[in-house]
């Protein structure tokens, strides 16, 4: 049994930022299921939104966020996150994170942050490290963690389930005591006990067959919290990025919106331009409009992808403007200066999650959730670009303050049993696990993707229920492996997305249902909340 003051699950920007703050007040364990840097954070390209210039204001950032959120943001949360942003960016810089800067405008010397602009932002406010902001954030945070003797990092440690008082049969309000964690190297399940557990496990892109997310994004935190009795909110709002490279070997590579910004044109595989039928801005229409248009073209023709064509631009321009995209495509056998790039929309960001307040406090005592796994009310029905890294930073600061300053946690004073695995044997046929993985991801893509209908959702619900029964059997009969654990979690998250989508009889933000194509004003400010019964 391993005892700490704080147990952090996940080593993306949320988990690492919290660990560094909490370490000032006690011993911290970070359990992370692969290598430390492997996270959605590591792949973030654009940057972090924060009000950093005199031309900008908190009010403008708040209004942009509320507009994107389509009537579902919690305004008090939005204000806190926006107003605390600049201080968190300053902390990252003090820690040694390098943001791209440029010569001070209108002055002969000095430098200032190079603020980028992205869709939905009325001002330039994106601080970035070229197009590798997330990688630079992970580098700086992991270096700080490595230099902190009060933080112990457990790589290849997969959190299976939270340990709660209700699961142990203790009466009274539900309380979290820690988690059971699989050591993937030894195959043993360890018991981590701590008065404060932080879920920072990120999103769930892998629930869909096409995603920009890396393999870790299997919604484990949402599934664990749901099993532990927490409320899960707004899971119908999954953001799809319109253009992810479609290639059998290159997984999850994003083709930046900037390619369309520089004149790239979306076409069918036969070479027909189609965006003029959907929006006056054609290929430069808003992200959700473009994603829906591509989905509709693919469904109509049965094609696996569409293409993005920038071959009409001079090759030296394209190679200079998009060096990383050019090189990655070329390595995959596609010369984007001579041939169109095959693209598909792909699941990108989970706006809903474990319901928390602005400090990341869940309704289970001792359990906090921050970053993409949480639903704080910042994003509402659609995330404003680059607000997610910001939310994770602010959440980490506030959660750490809340636990250590205002309400010191109670010690764990019950006997926590170790994991029971005596009867388990190795799975007999791994093909069952592999097949169910594929089936869920394909099913979610086809029936619960960008454009939904009641019939498709109901069909998906029935199939998921069957699959869950099979997975349940497998789970209890065999020794747990990370593949099986992730399969159980994507099935749970799929179920939650479907139920949430069925529960909202309107189209709002990212949730688009052909049977209810209009926004229903009576559904504004109403979160979709699901809680496990019994
Ligand atoms: C390609 C791409 C580009 C993006 N660009 C931007 C951008 O420019 N700006 C922006 O604001 N956002 C961007 N995002 C979104 C943003 O990166 C994420 O929302 C953010 O990084 C989430 O941080 P996190 O700490 O909550 O989760 P993550 O960074 O995903 O970290 C989750 C951690 O939890 C671990 N974990 C998961 N399950 C378990 C388990 N069961 N046990 C133990 N450990 C577990 C993972 O291994 C990982 O270490 C982008 C996302 C992608 C995929």
């Amino acid at each position: 049994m391993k005892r700490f003051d704080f147990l952090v699950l996940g080593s993306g920007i949320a988990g690492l930022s919290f660990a560094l703050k909490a370490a000032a007040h006690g011993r911290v364990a970070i359990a992370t299921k692969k290598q430390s840097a492997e996270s959605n954070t590591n792949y973030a390209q654009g940057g972090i939104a924060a009000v950093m210039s005199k031309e900008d204001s908190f009010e403008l950032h708040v209004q942009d966020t509320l507009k994107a959120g389509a009537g579902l943001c919690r305004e008090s949360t939005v204000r806190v996150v926006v107003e605390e942003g600049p201080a968190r960016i300053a902390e990252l810089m003090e820690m040694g994170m390098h943001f791209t800067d440029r010569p001070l405008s209108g002055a002969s010397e000095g430098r200032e942050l190079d603020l980028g602009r992205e869709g939905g932002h009325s001002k330039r406010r994106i601080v970035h490290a070229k197009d590798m902001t997330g990688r630079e954030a992970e580098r700086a945070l992991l270096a700080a963690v490595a230099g902190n003797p009060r933080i112990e990092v457990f790589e290849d440690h997969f959190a299976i389930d939270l340990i709660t008082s209700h699961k142990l049969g203790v009466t009274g309000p539900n309380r979290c005591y820690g988690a059971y964690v699989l050591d993937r190297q030894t195959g043993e399940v360890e018991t981590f006990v701590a008065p404060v557990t932080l879920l920072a496990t990120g999103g769930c892109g892998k629930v869909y067959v096409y995603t920009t997310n890396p393999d870790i994004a299997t919604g484990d935190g949402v599934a664990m919290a749901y099993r532990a009795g927490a409320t899960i909110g707004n899971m119908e709002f999954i953001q799809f990025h319109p253009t992810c490279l479609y290639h059998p070997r290159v997984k999850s590579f994003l083709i930046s919106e900037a390619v369309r910004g520089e004149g790239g044109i979306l076409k069918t595989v036969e070479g027909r331009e189609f965006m003029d039928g959907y929006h006056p801005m054609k290929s430069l229409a808003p992200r959700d409009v473009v994603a829906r248009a591509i989905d509709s073209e693919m469904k109509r023709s049965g094609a696996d992808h569409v293409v993005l064509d920038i071959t009409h631009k001079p090759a030296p321009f394209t190679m200079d403007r998009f060096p990383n995209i050019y090189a990655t495509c070329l390595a995959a056998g596609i010369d984007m200066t001579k041939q169109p790039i095959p693209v598909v929309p792909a699941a990108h960001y989970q706006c809903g999650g474990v319901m928390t307040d602005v400090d990341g406090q869940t309704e289970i005592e001792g359990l906090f959730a921050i970053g993409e796994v949480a639903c704080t009310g910042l994003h509402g029905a659609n995330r404003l670009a680059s607000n997610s890294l910001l939310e994770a930073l602010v959440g980490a600061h506030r959660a750490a303050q809340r636990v250590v300053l205002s309400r010191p946690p109670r010690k764990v004073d019950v006997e926590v049993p170790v994991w029971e695995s005596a009867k388990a044997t190795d799975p007999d046929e791994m093909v069952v696990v592999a097949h169910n993985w594929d089936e869920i991801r394909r099913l979610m893509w086809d029936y619960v993707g960008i454009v939904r209908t009641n019939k498709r959702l109901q069909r998906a619900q029935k199939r998921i229920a069957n699959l869950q029964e099979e997975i349940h059997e497998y789970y209890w009969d065999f020794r747990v492996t990370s593949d099986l654990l992730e399969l159980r979690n994507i099935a749970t998250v799929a179920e939650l997305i479907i139920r949430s989508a069925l529960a909202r009889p309107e189209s709002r933000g990212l949730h688009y249902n052909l049977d209810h194509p209009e926004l229903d004003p009576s559904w504004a400010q109403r979160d979709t909340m699901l809680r496990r019964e019994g």
Side-chain angles (χ1 to χ4, degrees):
M1 189 158 314
K2 293 184 158 49
R3 288 183 181 271
F4 286 86
D5 298 305
F6 303 95
L7 170 61
V8 175
L9 303 176
S11 57
I13 193 168
L16 297 176
S17 303
F18 175 87
L20 286 165
K21 300 211 168 206
H25 306 276
R27 287 175 58 242
V28 184
I30 302 178
T32 188
K33 69 180 176 181
K34 291 197 169 166
Q35 287 72 47
S36 302
E38 197 48 19
S39 57
N40 272 8
T41 302
N42 209 37
Y43 298 87
Q45 297 179 346
I48 312 176
V51 175
M52 304 295 285
S53 82
K54 285 200 272 318
E55 288 79 53
D56 199 1
S57 73
F58 289 145
E59 193 54 33
L60 286 172
H61 191 178
V62 166
Q63 291 308 326
D64 291 344
T65 304
L66 294 176
K67 193 168 164 207
L72 214 63
C73 300
R74 216 176 291 157
E75 189 169 336
S76 55
T77 297
V78 175
R79 291 196 178 276
V80 166
V81 173
V82 163
E83 287 173 18
E84 295 188 6
R88 304 287 78 82
I89 300 291
E91 275 173 4
L92 279 180
M93 286 160 63
E94 269 163 39
M95 192 188 297
M97 178 164 174
H98 300 294
F99 288 107
T100 302
D101 59 10
R102 62 179 175 209
L104 200 57
S105 61
S108 56
E109 54 186 34
R111 300 190 70 77
E112 61 184 354
L113 284 172
D114 178 38
L115 298 177
R117 185 159 177 190
E118 287 184 343
H121 288 276
S122 55
K123 293 285 173 191
R124 289 193 163 270
R125 62 169 75 104
I126 316 297
V127 294
H128 61 101
K130 300 210 169 122
D131 60 354
M132 289 169 285
T133 309
R135 199 179 304 171
E136 170 61 7
E138 282 286 304
R139 184 204 60 74
L141 288 163
L142 282 170
V145 163
N148 192 317
R150 298 177 88 174
I151 306 177
E152 207 172 325
V153 181
F154 296 84
E155 289 189 329
D156 280 322
H157 275 61
F158 190 119
I160 303 174
D161 260 322
L162 298 167
I163 305 167
T164 58
S165 56
H166 282 185
K167 277 195 202 157
L168 300 187
V170 180
T171 51
N174 202 6
R175 192 179 159 202
C176 184
Y177 300 135
Y180 292 117
V181 179
L182 171 71
D183 179 339
R184 294 174 64 227
Q185 301 292 343
T186 64
E188 297 300 318
V189 178
E190 293 172 352
T191 310
F192 280 74
V193 175
V196 173
T197 300
L198 179 91
L199 278 176
T201 46
C204 69
K206 294 290 285 187
V207 171
Y208 289 90
V209 71
Y210 300 116
T211 178
T212 62
N213 293 186
D215 287 348
I216 54 95
T218 49
D220 299 352
V222 164
M224 280 191 276
Y226 179 67
R227 287 194 290 270
T231 300
I232 310 298
N234 292 349
M235 287 299 287
E236 66 273 41
F237 299 109
I238 301 289
Q239 188 172 63
F240 291 84
H241 196 286
T243 54
C244 181
L245 178 64
Y246 177 79
H247 192 274
R249 272 183 292 111
V250 186
K251 272 197 305 185
S252 313
F253 184 70
L254 196 72
I255 306 292
S256 161
E257 212 158 293
V259 176
R260 278 175 288 132
E262 298 294 351
I265 297 167
L266 285 162
K267 297 179 179 173
T268 62
V269 279
E270 295 86 27
R272 177 177 56 83
E273 288 184 35
F274 58 86
M275 277 309 298
D276 44 355
Y278 294 90
H279 198 276
M281 290 174 76
K282 300 184 187 172
S283 292
L284 266 180
R287 264 189 202 182
D288 52 335
V289 176
V290 179
R292 253 177 250 145
I294 298 175
D295 183 72
S296 155
E297 289 297 323
M298 285 168 54
K299 283 220 167 70
R300 193 156 56 197
S301 66
D304 288 336
H305 63 276
V306 294
V307 297
L308 180 57
D309 191 351
I310 193 162
T311 53
H312 51 283
K313 287 278 178 183
F317 164 81
T318 303
M319 288 154 75
D320 180 57
R321 177 69 181 80
F322 304 110
N324 187 28
I325 297 175
Y326 174 75
T328 306
C329 288
L330 200 61
I334 304 154
D335 181 345
M336 67 189 276
T337 64
K338 298 197 180 94
Q339 57 196 123
I341 310 168
V343 290
V344 280
H348 188 54
Y349 186 81
Q350 162 194 307
C351 291
V354 184
M355 292 300 267
T356 69
D357 64 13
V358 69
D359 299 338
Q361 170 74 63
T362 72
E363 65 210 306
I364 299 177
E365 191 187 331
L367 180 67
F368 286 74
I370 58 169
E372 194 166 338
V373 70
C375 181
T376 63
L378 175 71
H379 307 302
N382 194 357
R383 174 190 70 129
L384 183 66
S386 289
N387 264 358
S388 33
L389 294 171
L390 172 70
E391 183 190 36
L393 287 171
V394 172
H397 179 77
R398 293 187 70 92
Q401 268 195 327
R402 171 90 163 253
V403 286
V404 295
L405 297 181
S406 54
R407 292 174 47 181
R410 290 193 283 141
K411 287 265 168 278
V412 174
D413 48 8
V414 297
E415 191 80 12
V416 175
V418 295
W419 177 263
E420 273 290 338
S421 58
K423 277 190 240 125
T425 51
D426 288 326
D428 54 352
E429 290 201 306
M430 284 309 287
V431 67
V432 176
V433 175
H435 175 89
N436 288 351
W437 253 97
D438 292 346
E439 191 171 338
I440 292 174
R441 299 182 68 207
R442 171 53 70 181
L443 168 81
M444 289 300 287
W445 182 258
D446 288 340
Y447 296 158
V448 198
I450 299 162
V451 177
R452 299 155 181 182
T453 66
N454 288 346
K455 206 163 155 191
R456 285 185 203 154
L457 291 172
Q458 282 153 1
R459 202 170 272 160
Q461 193 172 36
K462 273 196 208 133
R463 295 201 182 180
I464 284 290
N466 286 343
L467 284 161
Q468 278 182 311
E469 224 171 86
E470 198 169 302
I471 294 164
H472 191 72
E473 245 169 56
Y474 233 72
Y475 183 77
W476 291 110
D477 287 352
F478 298 110
R479 193 190 302 280
V480 289
T481 63
S482 49
D483 277 349
L484 180 55
L485 292 168
E486 287 182 339
L487 173 65
R488 181 171 75 136
N489 290 336
I490 62 165
T492 300
V493 172
E495 177 206 324
L496 295 172
I497 296 172
I498 296 166
R499 282 171 58 199
S500 306
L502 279 166
R504 183 171 288 279
E506 62 161 351
S507 289
R508 178 182 298 276
L510 299 164
H511 172 64
Y512 188 74
N513 184 336
L514 285 174
D515 291 315
H516 310 279
E518 306 298 332
L519 192 128
D520 178 348
S522 71
W523 276 81
Q525 295 302 323
R526 279 170 71 177
D527 293 318
T528 313
M529 297 205 269
L530 298 174
R531 195 150 182 242
R532 191 177 159 154
E533 287 148 25

